[in-house]
Amino acid sequence: MTFIIAIDGPAAAGKGTLARRIAETYGFHHLDTGLTYRATARALLEAGLPLDDEAVAERMAQAVDLSGLDRAVLAQHHIGEAASRIAVMPAVRCALVEAQRRFSARSPGTVLDGRDIGTVVCPQAPVKLYVTASPDVRARRRHDEVIASGGVADYQTILADVKKRDDRDMGRADSPLKPADDAHLLDTSEMSIEAAFQAAKTIIDAALNRN
Ligand code: CDP
Ligand code: CDP
């Protein structure tokens, strides 16, 4: 049986960093589900299509190829912004969730990170982590990432954007961001990447022993 690890949480909480490390350690397949929303948004933008036509966006979502997702190509700020706008549409979510569920069944195990993995995509996952950090800490991390890659960033602008994204993700009617009832909460505000990984590993090892 496939072993699924579901990781959810807000932007820049450290989900992706943690998910990649876990996948590497346990030899599991990893899917950053945010990229599926970003790829759909990018395809619409590239084709010059509107972001508010649900039927058009649904067709783009159905055509997303999970093997061709590249964070470097999809990282741009305007793509993330467009992704969070189309992510409120039920038809888009339905198409992407179907592809994500197929991915989650890969053997011997999978790690999926996003906003609704433990609540909607894989509610049966034996391990659910809800990774969070304060908005200030998350904005600081995003800011430092941009500076480290040689870009220009304004902390206050990034903080406002993080809060706007949180409101949209937590406030939407379909699959809002929230911890599953059986999720382990991991607040990484004061935690190093290593400390967060060790905390997750303890939880995963206990669940693997039970299964
Ligand atoms: O930029 P950030 O890391 O916050 O976002 P992302 O993980 O790349 O996801 C971009 C957007 O896709 C998010 O703001 C969500 O609105 C949406 N998303 C979602 O609705 N459900 C998921 N499972 C993953 C992402
Ligand atoms: O995937 P998500 O948007 O939740 O976040 P991420 O891309 O994994 O992490 C955002 C940034 O925070 C990265 O630059 C990480 O290196 C950093 N980070 C950190 O400083 N401390 C942690 N405990 C986790 C992540």
Side-chain angles (χ1 to χ4, degrees), residues 146-187:
V146 177
I147 300 296
S149 63
V152 182
D154 172 56
Y155 172 76
Q156 289 303 335
T157 308
I158 294 178
L159 178 62
D161 184 60
V162 160
K163 288 180 174 168
K164 189 173 80 182
R165 191 81 75 78
D166 284 359
D167 286 347
R168 203 181 276 156
D169 288 345
M170 293 174 186
R172 68 179 172 232
D174 187 354
S175 315
L177 169 64
K178 63 172 181 203
D181 292 337
D182 52 350
H184 296 268
L185 302 189
L186 212 60
D187 186 333

Short mmCIF file of all heavy atoms in Angstrom, two decimals, residues 146-187:
data_model
loop_
_atom_site.label_atom_id
_atom_site.label_comp_id
_atom_site.label_asym_id
_atom_site.label_seq_id
_atom_site.Cartn_x
_atom_site.Cartn_y
_atom_site.Cartn_z
N VAL A 146 14.33 36.76 -2.25
CA VAL A 146 14.44 37.66 -3.41
C VAL A 146 15.82 38.35 -3.40
O VAL A 146 16.50 38.40 -4.43
CB VAL A 146 13.31 38.73 -3.41
CG1 VAL A 146 13.48 39.70 -4.56
CG2 VAL A 146 11.95 38.05 -3.48
N ILE A 147 16.23 38.83 -2.23
CA ILE A 147 17.53 39.50 -2.12
C ILE A 147 18.66 38.53 -2.47
O ILE A 147 19.58 38.87 -3.21
CB ILE A 147 17.74 40.05 -0.68
CG1 ILE A 147 16.65 41.06 -0.33
CG2 ILE A 147 19.13 40.65 -0.52
CD1 ILE A 147 16.61 42.32 -1.16
N ALA A 148 18.56 37.30 -1.94
CA ALA A 148 19.61 36.29 -2.19
C ALA A 148 19.73 35.97 -3.68
O ALA A 148 20.82 35.63 -4.16
CB ALA A 148 19.31 35.02 -1.39
N SER A 149 18.61 36.08 -4.41
CA SER A 149 18.70 35.76 -5.84
C SER A 149 19.02 37.02 -6.67
O SER A 149 18.85 37.03 -7.88
CB SER A 149 17.40 35.10 -6.31
OG SER A 149 16.33 36.00 -6.17
N GLY A 150 19.44 38.07 -5.97
CA GLY A 150 19.90 39.26 -6.67
C GLY A 150 18.80 40.24 -7.05
O GLY A 150 19.04 41.20 -7.78
N GLY A 151 17.59 40.01 -6.54
CA GLY A 151 16.46 40.88 -6.89
C GLY A 151 16.29 42.06 -5.94
O GLY A 151 17.07 42.22 -5.00
N VAL A 152 15.26 42.86 -6.20
CA VAL A 152 14.96 44.00 -5.36
C VAL A 152 13.63 43.71 -4.66
O VAL A 152 12.67 43.28 -5.31
CB VAL A 152 14.80 45.28 -6.22
CG1 VAL A 152 14.52 46.49 -5.33
CG2 VAL A 152 16.04 45.50 -7.07
N ALA A 153 13.56 43.92 -3.33
CA ALA A 153 12.34 43.59 -2.61
C ALA A 153 12.05 44.61 -1.53
O ALA A 153 12.97 45.13 -0.89
CB ALA A 153 12.48 42.20 -1.99
N ASP A 154 10.77 44.88 -1.32
CA ASP A 154 10.37 45.78 -0.24
C ASP A 154 9.58 44.96 0.78
O ASP A 154 8.54 44.38 0.45
CB ASP A 154 9.51 46.92 -0.82
CG ASP A 154 8.92 47.76 0.30
OD1 ASP A 154 9.69 48.27 1.12
OD2 ASP A 154 7.68 47.87 0.36
N TYR A 155 10.09 44.92 2.01
CA TYR A 155 9.50 44.08 3.05
C TYR A 155 8.00 44.37 3.27
O TYR A 155 7.20 43.45 3.34
CB TYR A 155 10.28 44.21 4.36
CG TYR A 155 9.61 43.52 5.52
CD1 TYR A 155 9.67 42.12 5.65
CD2 TYR A 155 8.87 44.24 6.46
CE1 TYR A 155 9.02 41.48 6.69
CE2 TYR A 155 8.22 43.60 7.50
CZ TYR A 155 8.30 42.23 7.61
OH TYR A 155 7.64 41.59 8.64
N GLN A 156 7.64 45.65 3.36
CA GLN A 156 6.24 46.00 3.64
C GLN A 156 5.30 45.53 2.52
O GLN A 156 4.18 45.08 2.78
CB GLN A 156 6.08 47.52 3.85
CG GLN A 156 6.69 48.03 5.16
CD GLN A 156 6.11 47.35 6.42
OE1 GLN A 156 4.98 46.84 6.41
NE2 GLN A 156 6.90 47.31 7.48
N THR A 157 5.76 45.64 1.27
CA THR A 157 4.95 45.19 0.13
C THR A 157 4.76 43.68 0.19
O THR A 157 3.65 43.18 -0.03
CB THR A 157 5.65 45.57 -1.20
OG1 THR A 157 5.96 46.95 -1.18
CG2 THR A 157 4.77 45.25 -2.40
N ILE A 158 5.85 42.97 0.52
CA ILE A 158 5.77 41.50 0.59
C ILE A 158 4.85 41.08 1.73
O ILE A 158 4.03 40.17 1.58
CB ILE A 158 7.18 40.89 0.75
CG1 ILE A 158 7.98 41.15 -0.53
CG2 ILE A 158 7.10 39.40 1.06
CD1 ILE A 158 9.40 40.64 -0.51
N LEU A 159 4.95 41.77 2.88
CA LEU A 159 4.10 41.44 4.02
C LEU A 159 2.61 41.63 3.66
O LEU A 159 1.78 40.77 3.96
CB LEU A 159 4.46 42.32 5.23
CG LEU A 159 3.62 42.11 6.49
CD1 LEU A 159 3.77 40.69 7.03
CD2 LEU A 159 4.01 43.12 7.59
N ALA A 160 2.31 42.73 2.98
CA ALA A 160 0.91 42.99 2.58
C ALA A 160 0.43 41.90 1.63
O ALA A 160 -0.71 41.43 1.71
CB ALA A 160 0.82 44.37 1.92
N ASP A 161 1.32 41.47 0.74
CA ASP A 161 0.97 40.43 -0.23
C ASP A 161 0.73 39.08 0.46
O ASP A 161 -0.21 38.35 0.12
CB ASP A 161 2.10 40.31 -1.27
CG ASP A 161 1.73 39.32 -2.35
OD1 ASP A 161 0.72 39.55 -3.03
OD2 ASP A 161 2.45 38.31 -2.50
N VAL A 162 1.58 38.75 1.43
CA VAL A 162 1.43 37.49 2.19
C VAL A 162 0.06 37.48 2.88
O VAL A 162 -0.66 36.48 2.85
CB VAL A 162 2.58 37.35 3.23
CG1 VAL A 162 2.22 36.38 4.34
CG2 VAL A 162 3.87 36.90 2.55
N LYS A 163 -0.30 38.61 3.49
CA LYS A 163 -1.58 38.69 4.21
C LYS A 163 -2.77 38.60 3.26
O LYS A 163 -3.77 37.96 3.56
CB LYS A 163 -1.65 39.98 5.03
CG LYS A 163 -0.72 39.95 6.23
CD LYS A 163 -0.81 41.24 7.02
CE LYS A 163 0.00 41.16 8.31
NZ LYS A 163 0.15 42.49 8.94
N LYS A 164 -2.63 39.23 2.08
CA LYS A 164 -3.71 39.18 1.09
C LYS A 164 -3.92 37.75 0.61
O LYS A 164 -5.03 37.26 0.47
CB LYS A 164 -3.37 40.11 -0.08
CG LYS A 164 -4.53 40.31 -1.05
CD LYS A 164 -4.21 41.36 -2.10
CE LYS A 164 -3.35 40.76 -3.20
NZ LYS A 164 -2.94 41.70 -4.24
N ARG A 165 -2.79 37.04 0.36
CA ARG A 165 -2.85 35.65 -0.10
C ARG A 165 -3.48 34.76 0.98
O ARG A 165 -4.30 33.89 0.68
CB ARG A 165 -1.43 35.17 -0.44
CG ARG A 165 -1.38 33.86 -1.16
CD ARG A 165 -1.64 34.00 -2.63
NE ARG A 165 -0.50 34.58 -3.32
CZ ARG A 165 0.60 33.87 -3.64
NH1 ARG A 165 0.67 32.60 -3.36
NH2 ARG A 165 1.59 34.44 -4.26
N ASP A 166 -3.11 34.99 2.25
CA ASP A 166 -3.69 34.23 3.36
C ASP A 166 -5.21 34.41 3.39
O ASP A 166 -5.96 33.43 3.52
CB ASP A 166 -3.16 34.73 4.71
CG ASP A 166 -1.74 34.26 5.00
OD1 ASP A 166 -1.17 33.53 4.17
OD2 ASP A 166 -1.22 34.63 6.07
N ASP A 167 -5.65 35.66 3.26
CA ASP A 167 -7.09 35.95 3.33
C ASP A 167 -7.83 35.23 2.21
O ASP A 167 -8.89 34.64 2.42
CB ASP A 167 -7.35 37.46 3.19
CG ASP A 167 -6.96 38.20 4.47
OD1 ASP A 167 -6.74 37.53 5.49
OD2 ASP A 167 -6.87 39.44 4.43
N ARG A 168 -7.25 35.27 0.99
CA ARG A 168 -7.92 34.63 -0.14
C ARG A 168 -7.95 33.11 0.05
O ARG A 168 -8.96 32.46 -0.18
CB ARG A 168 -7.20 35.01 -1.43
CG ARG A 168 -8.09 34.89 -2.66
CD ARG A 168 -7.32 35.25 -3.92
NE ARG A 168 -7.27 36.67 -4.18
CZ ARG A 168 -6.32 37.26 -4.91
NH1 ARG A 168 -5.35 36.56 -5.42
NH2 ARG A 168 -6.35 38.55 -5.13
N ASP A 169 -6.82 32.53 0.48
CA ASP A 169 -6.75 31.07 0.64
C ASP A 169 -7.62 30.57 1.79
O ASP A 169 -8.23 29.50 1.71
CB ASP A 169 -5.30 30.62 0.86
CG ASP A 169 -4.44 30.73 -0.40
OD1 ASP A 169 -5.02 30.87 -1.50
OD2 ASP A 169 -3.20 30.66 -0.29
N MET A 170 -7.69 31.34 2.88
CA MET A 170 -8.45 30.89 4.05
C MET A 170 -9.93 31.25 3.92
O MET A 170 -10.78 30.63 4.55
CB MET A 170 -7.90 31.52 5.33
CG MET A 170 -6.51 31.02 5.67
SD MET A 170 -5.82 31.91 7.09
CE MET A 170 -4.16 31.26 7.15
N GLY A 171 -10.23 32.25 3.08
CA GLY A 171 -11.61 32.75 3.01
C GLY A 171 -12.45 32.16 1.90
O GLY A 171 -13.66 32.37 1.88
N ARG A 172 -11.86 31.41 0.96
CA ARG A 172 -12.67 30.92 -0.17
C ARG A 172 -13.64 29.84 0.30
O ARG A 172 -13.37 29.13 1.27
CB ARG A 172 -11.77 30.43 -1.31
CG ARG A 172 -11.00 29.18 -0.97
CD ARG A 172 -10.15 28.71 -2.16
NE ARG A 172 -9.29 27.64 -1.71
CZ ARG A 172 -7.97 27.59 -1.88
NH1 ARG A 172 -7.36 28.53 -2.54
NH2 ARG A 172 -7.28 26.59 -1.41
N ALA A 173 -14.74 29.71 -0.45
CA ALA A 173 -15.79 28.77 -0.06
C ALA A 173 -15.36 27.32 -0.32
O ALA A 173 -15.62 26.42 0.48
CB ALA A 173 -17.07 29.08 -0.83
N ASP A 174 -14.68 27.09 -1.46
CA ASP A 174 -14.28 25.73 -1.83
C ASP A 174 -12.88 25.42 -1.31
O ASP A 174 -11.92 26.09 -1.67
CB ASP A 174 -14.31 25.59 -3.37
CG ASP A 174 -14.07 24.15 -3.83
OD1 ASP A 174 -13.76 23.29 -2.98
OD2 ASP A 174 -14.20 23.90 -5.04
N SER A 175 -12.76 24.42 -0.45
CA SER A 175 -11.48 23.95 0.07
C SER A 175 -10.60 25.05 0.67
O SER A 175 -9.46 25.24 0.26
CB SER A 175 -10.68 23.25 -1.04
OG SER A 175 -11.49 22.37 -1.78
N PRO A 176 -11.13 25.80 1.64
CA PRO A 176 -10.29 26.84 2.25
C PRO A 176 -9.10 26.23 3.00
O PRO A 176 -9.17 25.07 3.41
CB PRO A 176 -11.25 27.52 3.24
CG PRO A 176 -12.27 26.50 3.56
CD PRO A 176 -12.45 25.69 2.30
N LEU A 177 -8.04 27.04 3.11
CA LEU A 177 -6.87 26.58 3.86
C LEU A 177 -7.21 26.51 5.34
O LEU A 177 -7.59 27.50 5.95
CB LEU A 177 -5.72 27.59 3.65
CG LEU A 177 -4.50 27.41 4.57
CD1 LEU A 177 -3.80 26.08 4.32
CD2 LEU A 177 -3.51 28.56 4.37
N LYS A 178 -7.08 25.31 5.92
CA LYS A 178 -7.27 25.11 7.37
C LYS A 178 -6.66 23.77 7.74
O LYS A 178 -6.56 22.88 6.88
CB LYS A 178 -8.75 25.17 7.75
CG LYS A 178 -9.56 24.06 7.11
CD LYS A 178 -10.98 24.02 7.66
CE LYS A 178 -11.73 22.87 7.01
NZ LYS A 178 -13.15 22.99 7.02
N PRO A 179 -6.25 23.60 9.00
CA PRO A 179 -5.68 22.30 9.37
C PRO A 179 -6.77 21.23 9.40
O PRO A 179 -7.89 21.51 9.82
CB PRO A 179 -5.12 22.54 10.78
CG PRO A 179 -5.37 23.96 11.13
CD PRO A 179 -6.25 24.58 10.10
N ALA A 180 -6.44 20.02 8.94
CA ALA A 180 -7.36 18.89 9.10
C ALA A 180 -7.46 18.62 10.60
O ALA A 180 -6.53 18.93 11.35
CB ALA A 180 -6.81 17.67 8.36
N ASP A 181 -8.59 18.03 11.03
CA ASP A 181 -8.77 17.76 12.46
C ASP A 181 -7.65 16.90 13.03
O ASP A 181 -7.28 17.05 14.20
CB ASP A 181 -10.11 17.03 12.69
CG ASP A 181 -11.29 17.95 12.40
OD1 ASP A 181 -11.08 19.18 12.45
OD2 ASP A 181 -12.38 17.44 12.10
N ASP A 182 -7.12 15.97 12.19
CA ASP A 182 -6.08 15.07 12.68
C ASP A 182 -4.67 15.47 12.22
O ASP A 182 -3.76 14.64 12.20
CB ASP A 182 -6.39 13.63 12.24
CG ASP A 182 -6.67 13.52 10.74
OD1 ASP A 182 -6.81 14.57 10.07
OD2 ASP A 182 -6.74 12.38 10.24
N ALA A 183 -4.48 16.75 11.88
CA ALA A 183 -3.15 17.20 11.46
C ALA A 183 -2.27 17.54 12.66
O ALA A 183 -2.77 18.00 13.69
CB ALA A 183 -3.28 18.43 10.56
N HIS A 184 -0.97 17.31 12.51
CA HIS A 184 0.00 17.74 13.52
C HIS A 184 0.40 19.17 13.17
O HIS A 184 0.80 19.43 12.03
CB HIS A 184 1.25 16.88 13.48
CG HIS A 184 1.01 15.45 13.83
ND1 HIS A 184 1.14 14.97 15.11
CD2 HIS A 184 0.63 14.40 13.07
CE1 HIS A 184 0.86 13.68 15.12
NE2 HIS A 184 0.54 13.30 13.89
N LEU A 185 0.29 20.10 14.12
CA LEU A 185 0.67 21.49 13.84
C LEU A 185 2.16 21.69 14.07
O LEU A 185 2.71 21.25 15.08
CB LEU A 185 -0.11 22.45 14.75
CG LEU A 185 -1.63 22.39 14.66
CD1 LEU A 185 -2.25 23.53 15.45
CD2 LEU A 185 -2.11 22.46 13.21
N LEU A 186 2.79 22.36 13.11
CA LEU A 186 4.23 22.61 13.21
C LEU A 186 4.45 24.10 12.96
O LEU A 186 4.41 24.56 11.82
CB LEU A 186 4.92 21.78 12.12
CG LEU A 186 6.30 21.25 12.36
CD1 LEU A 186 6.34 20.32 13.56
CD2 LEU A 186 6.77 20.48 11.12
N ASP A 187 4.64 24.87 14.03
CA ASP A 187 4.89 26.31 13.87
C ASP A 187 6.40 26.51 13.75
O ASP A 187 7.13 26.31 14.71
CB ASP A 187 4.33 27.06 15.08
CG ASP A 187 4.42 28.57 14.90
OD1 ASP A 187 5.32 29.04 14.16
OD2 ASP A 187 3.61 29.29 15.49
#
